[in-house]
Amino acid sequence: MSIEIANESGVAVEETSIVAAARFALDRMNVSPLAELSVLLVELDVMSDLHERWMDLPGPTDVMAFPMDELDSARRPDAAGVGPALLGDIVLCPAFAKDQARKAGHALIDELHLLTVHGVLHLLGYDHAEPEEEKEMFSLQNRILADFRAQRAEEQRRAAQRSVDDRVLGAVGLDEDQTGG
């Protein structure tokens, strides 16, 4: 799975973490490993321009998703099959998301994870214009985010345990440097 990310926002963010959230969501939605996705982080004025041009709405927003126009609608990108699927682009605005993160009581990166998953679902055809659609999309989004957070917590727990193990092994003279490994 190819996920390209470009940060043109001027806001320092953990890009690898955003890619990990996108990859997790795509995997969870059984999207082909040959799929291609682009994530772009932009400044407020760029997002405002995109929002006005494509949605005919004033001012910036947090996330926009642009599915590929060439995508064969008979073959969804999450359908099994051979060949790459060009999913499209997710555009995030960290400056806009900062305020949302603060209001929600969590870190900016958590908000960007949420927006990334939200964008992935839009690229896969999910929407929230109608109440039933909103319920389905947000329920799915929340499940994916909860599973992503659980996986990251487990990875952090394992890394911390490896660090403790390495210190113990080093203290008793069994670290790699002394064993020739």
Side-chain angles (χ1 to χ4, degrees):
M1 188 169 307
S2 173
I3 302 174
E4 300 293 326
I5 187 165
N7 187 352
E8 300 173 2
S9 71
V11 177
V13 297
E14 193 179 328
E15 294 170 21
T16 57
S17 182
I18 293 169
V19 169
R23 185 174 313 281
F24 187 89
L26 292 168
D27 286 346
R28 185 54 49 102
M29 296 302 296
N30 298 313
V31 172
S32 166
L34 300 175
E36 298 176 14
L37 170 68
S38 172
V39 180
L40 178 63
L41 288 76
V42 299
E43 297 175 332
L44 283 167
D45 59 338
V46 173
M47 183 59 99
S48 183
D49 180 53
L50 290 171
H51 198 218
E52 290 172 23
R53 184 180 325 154
W54 295 101
M55 302 298 292
D56 205 23
L57 295 169
T61 189
D62 50 5
V63 60
M64 293 184 72
F66 296 95
M68 288 301 293
D69 291 338
E70 297 85 28
L71 189 63
D72 179 2
S73 60
R75 184 183 164 283
R76 289 178 42 120
D78 55 346
V82 295
L86 301 175
L87 296 177
D89 304 316
I90 297 172
V91 181
L92 303 172
C93 185
F96 193 91
K98 269 186 184 179
D99 190 47
Q100 291 179 162
R102 184 185 52 75
K103 288 177 183 172
H106 56 239
L108 173 60
I109 195 65
D110 294 327
E111 187 71 15
L112 292 172
H113 290 156
L114 182 150
L115 297 173
T116 299
V117 171
H118 189 86
V120 165
L121 292 176
H122 273 306
L123 292 179
L124 296 177
Y126 290 87
D127 201 359
H128 47 84
E130 300 296 326
E132 280 303 310
E133 293 174 336
E134 180 177 351
K135 182 180 177 184
E136 178 186 18
M137 182 176 180
F138 282 79
S139 175
L140 183 55
Q141 174 181 295
N142 291 339
R143 283 195 312 270
I144 292 170
L145 282 169
D147 292 347
F148 176 68
R149 289 181 188 124
Q151 177 185 339
R152 286 180 60 89
E154 179 61 19
E155 289 169 357
Q156 290 171 344
R157 186 197 66 74
R158 287 183 182 165
Q161 185 61 51
R162 276 192 302 276
S163 177
V164 169
D165 292 348
D166 289 346
R167 283 196 308 270
V168 169
L169 291 172
V172 296
L174 296 175
D175 59 348
E176 283 189 17
D177 292 338
Q178 294 182 4
T179 60

